[in-house]
């Protein structure tokens, strides 16, 4: 496994619509393992392949909920290959989202509270599940990445400009 470089805004690759995975093979499984390692290294809970410069419809999520006997978060990473939202609730939820590609910037984003998603796992098996809570939010956020959409696209222009100015200042300061 390897820690990969996380692509940050304004890299144009973040605006690409990712291509579907034709076959779940060792190359994809290696990508998944590297993405999980990268996600943990960056202290994230989700990561889309395009965020590490790979134009494939692959994402990984681990909400790291709960703690083990030593007080460390319980890790249960999952890969979602060619994920697609089949339906969304009309009910909305608000979550203060951040993104590894827009470091240390956060904004409240409204998204459907639940969504039904279909995907393939690392073995190529198909799954379909109704997601809710933080998992639903995270899944929608990561699928947005696969479609070239960033969380800042869901906030007002004023809020987006403010976040980008804060990020620019943060980068200048170092």
């Amino acid at each position: 496994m390897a820690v990969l470089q996380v692509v940050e805004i304004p890299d144009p690759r973040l605006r690409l619509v990712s291509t579907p995975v034709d076959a779940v093979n060792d190359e994809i499984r290696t990508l998944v393992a590297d993405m999980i390692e990268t996600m943990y290294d960056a202290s994230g809970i989700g990561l889309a392949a395009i965020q590490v410069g790979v134009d494939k419809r692959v994402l990984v999520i681990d909400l790291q909920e709960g703690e083990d006997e030593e007080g460390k978060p319980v890790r249960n990473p999952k890969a979602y290959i060619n994920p697609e939202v089949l339906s969304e609730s009309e009910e909305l939820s608000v979550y203060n989202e951040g993104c590894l590609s827009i470091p240390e910037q956060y904004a409240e984003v409204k998204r459907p509270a639940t969504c039904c998603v279909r995907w393939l796992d690392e073995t190529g098996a198909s799954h379909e599940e109704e997601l809710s809570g933080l998992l639903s939010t995270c899944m929608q956020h990561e699928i947005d990445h696969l479609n070239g959409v960033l969380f800042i696209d869901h906030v007002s222009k004023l809020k987006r400009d403010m976040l980008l100015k804060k990020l620019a200042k943060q980068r200048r300061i170092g």
Side-chain angles (χ1 to χ4, degrees):
M1 292 188 291
V3 173
L4 306 172
Q5 179 74 36
V6 175
V7 173
E8 294 183 3
I9 199 170
D11 193 305
R13 292 175 289 182
L14 292 170
R15 295 304 186 170
L16 294 175
V17 175
S18 297
T19 58
V21 171
D22 295 326
V24 180
N25 54 29
D26 287 342
E27 179 183 337
I28 294 299
R29 284 186 279 278
T30 298
L31 172 63
V32 165
D34 290 347
M35 287 173 61
I36 290 169
E37 191 72 20
T38 302
M39 176 181 66
Y40 290 146
D41 183 69
S43 301
I45 61 170
L47 186 69
I50 198 64
Q51 289 181 273
V52 292
V54 178
D55 178 21
K56 293 287 180 192
R57 295 190 77 80
V58 176
L59 61 91
V60 296
I61 294 176
D62 186 354
L63 302 181
Q64 302 175 57
E65 296 177 312
E67 293 181 347
D68 64 15
E69 304 81 37
E70 298 172 8
K72 295 180 181 174
V74 174
R75 289 187 169 176
N76 184 25
K78 292 189 178 165
Y80 300 87
I81 300 164
N82 294 336
E84 59 180 315
V85 175
L86 303 176
S87 64
E88 301 173 326
S89 66
E90 288 186 26
E91 178 189 353
L92 299 177
S93 65
V94 178
Y95 191 79
N96 193 38
E97 294 186 26
C99 181
L100 298 177
S101 294
I102 309 172
E104 299 180 40
Q105 304 305 310
Y106 302 89
E108 289 191 348
V109 176
K110 285 184 189 177
R111 296 186 185 271
T114 64
C115 62
C116 183
V117 179
R118 179 173 40 224
W119 73 92
L120 302 174
D121 65 19
E122 299 108 309
T123 70
S126 181
H127 300 270
E128 189 174 309
E129 188 176 341
E130 184 81 19
L131 307 178
S132 62
L134 181 56
L135 182 55
S136 174
T137 297
C138 190
M139 179 65 73
Q140 292 173 68
H141 176 112
E142 298 307 332
I143 289 175
D144 270 358
H145 275 297
L146 302 180
N147 295 321
V149 177
L150 301 172
F151 85 92
I152 59 173
D153 298 333
H154 293 282
V155 299
S156 70
K157 182 179 180 341
L158 180 66
K159 179 70 173 174
R160 182 173 42 255
D161 290 348
M162 188 174 73
L163 288 170
L164 294 174
K165 283 180 185 173
K166 279 176 56 180
L167 178 61
K169 182 178 179 182
Q170 176 185 316
R171 285 176 172 166
R172 278 193 310 272
I173 293 170

